[in-house]
Amino acid sequence: MPDSPPKTLPESVGPISGGLSEKGGKSTAPKATAPKVAAASLIGTTIEYYDFAVYGTASALVLGPAFFPSGNATVSSLAAFLTFTAAFLSRPLGVVLFGTIGDRLGRRRALVASLMLMGVATAGVGLLPTYESAGLLAPVLLVTLRLLQGVSMGGEWGGAVLLAAEHAPPGRRALYAAVPNVGPSLGFLLSSAVILPTLHYAGRDGFAEGAWRIPFLLSTVLVVIGLWVRSTVSESPLFTAQQRTRTPASRFPLGTLVTRHPRRLLLGIGAAIGGSAVYYLTIVYSLSYGPKELGIPQNTMLTAASIGAGAGILLTLPVARLADRIGRRPVMLAGAAGSVLWAVPMYASLDTRDGVVITGAYTVGLLLLALMFSPAAAFLAELFPGPLRYSGASTTFILANTLGGGLAPLTATWLHSHWDSPLVLGFYTGGLCLVSLLCLLALPETRDVDFDT
């Protein structure tokens, strides 16, 4: 029956061979395997989000004039953010491609392929000619590489989460699944650690003239490290056992997902949409909005976002451990409700133009985001049965990211052109967080779901 809840076995019933049960089942993998796999998932996700964060920051700083020259600064910024959004629009293709690979051929193969694609696309951006030297070919190539980055991202998150979660010891699934969720904030911090010194030593003019390429090209080193680490980890024992004992996954898992679990799919997207808006408006859009519209120094905005992201990282794993103990929904509901209330004050802090006030407001906002985001990895995966789990987790998260995050900078730029106040960002973000709150209320608790089903 479509959207029927996943089965939960009695505590006395163990998992199938090699599987992982939340209630007493044991993994056949060595104890040392789970932490290693979680680390490998984190490394890859960090690299992928580093690449994405580098582009987001560069688009806020220099890519508009370099690839989309215009006499109007707003038009130039819109074009750069539209290219940023294009990568989100291609993510569903990545879900189809890597979801099919992950559900049919294995999580590890999908993750290695997605990381390799991201590395090639990001290095390519760093080597592109600008509009001044190549004309229209430059923005066309930029958009093409951004589309490839989006395809890669479409397969990354779901696979990283599942590989970690399906290796997790009993009772710690949310904790292990949340390890890759540190990746987005860690990737942003890593990008800031590269961009800030580059800006400092090259200066704004030097950065615009060519030093912006450095962060993109440095990603090749990170990708090589990530590929090496991922190639050394084992496949999910649950997936391996599933392949031995069950009928192979659907030839088109996403189609099966849509026809059999439409309600759960839509509610899962809604549950994650608010957190995506908070992350991308804070980490990407405000880095452009603050300096250009309010005259806030660029370093002030980067520092505020970096400190907030760092605080979120510190809270991610303790929050996940709490979700293992009391359930996913109570923690996520608290984060969504808090974000609804805090969204307007957080972005209103920009009007003060005070670095300390902005940093404090962003830190609270990103701590509330951790409450929503940390348990979401396990929660979204647990909504769907094993043969569709890669496609299900990826589809819900990626579509939420596309609608709530990918469109956010573009929508915010348009909103600002009509209402000249940062308060509009708060109302927009708060509205999406309210959607998440309502969707979470409509979904069941999943902490005791048996991953073997």
Side-chain angles (χ1 to χ4, degrees), residues 168-239:
R172 291 177 176 257
R173 188 188 299 152
L175 176 64
Y176 278 78
V179 171
N181 268 1
V182 176
S185 292
L186 200 57
F188 170 72
L189 290 178
L190 190 59
S191 74
S192 296
V194 174
I195 289 174
L196 281 173
T198 306
L199 269 171
H200 175 74
Y201 288 108
R204 185 64 182 258
D205 291 340
F207 192 82
E209 289 172 4
W212 62 267
R213 300 178 184 275
I214 294 173
F216 288 96
L217 297 176
L218 282 178
S219 73
T220 57
V221 178
L222 300 175
V223 168
V224 169
I225 295 171
L227 287 172
W228 174 75
V229 172
R230 282 193 169 172
S231 67
T232 64
V233 302
S234 61
E235 181 55 84
S236 158
L238 190 150
F239 175 82

Side-chain angles (χ1 to χ4, degrees), residues 174 177-178 181 315-321 369-378:
N181 268 1
L315 197 63
T316 296
L317 297 186
V319 165
R321 193 70 189 105
L369 172 63
L371 295 179
M372 282 195 289
F373 193 48
S374 180

Side-chain angles (χ1 to χ4, degrees), residues 214-358:
I214 294 173
F216 288 96
L217 297 176
L218 282 178
S219 73
T220 57
V221 178
L222 300 175
V223 168
V224 169
I225 295 171
L227 287 172
W228 174 75
V229 172
R230 282 193 169 172
S231 67
T232 64
V233 302
S234 61
E235 181 55 84
S236 158
L238 190 150
F239 175 82
T240 302
Q242 184 175 287
Q243 292 294 94
R244 289 200 306 264
T245 60
R246 302 186 181 194
T247 303
S250 166
R251 289 185 179 275
F252 184 44
L254 183 58
T256 305
L257 186 73
V258 171
T259 56
R260 293 187 182 178
H261 305 279
R263 180 177 180 274
R264 191 158 288 199
L265 183 64
L266 290 174
L267 288 175
I269 293 168
I273 199 170
S276 297
V278 172
Y279 180 84
Y280 283 101
L281 284 177
T282 304
I283 298 299
V284 176
Y285 179 74
S286 66
L287 299 185
S288 170
Y289 176 83
K292 289 183 178 178
E293 305 298 337
L294 301 175
I296 303 170
Q298 188 72 58
N299 284 356
T300 298
M301 293 305 304
L302 277 170
T303 301
S306 297
I307 291 174
I313 288 175
L314 294 177
L315 197 63
T316 296
L317 297 186
V319 165
R321 193 70 189 105
L322 180 64
D324 274 326
R325 291 173 176 165
I326 69 172
R328 290 45 163 147
R329 284 176 77 247
V331 178
M332 295 177 70
L333 284 168
S339 295
V340 170
L341 297 174
W342 187 247
V344 171
M346 177 168 64
Y347 293 111
S349 70
L350 296 174
D351 259 339
T352 69
R353 297 169 173 79
D354 185 307
V356 175
V357 173
I358 295 170

Side-chain angles (χ1 to χ4, degrees), residues 58-77:
S59 66
L61 296 176
V62 299
L63 294 188
F67 288 90
F68 307 96
S70 168
N72 187 310
T74 300
V75 171
S76 184
S77 293

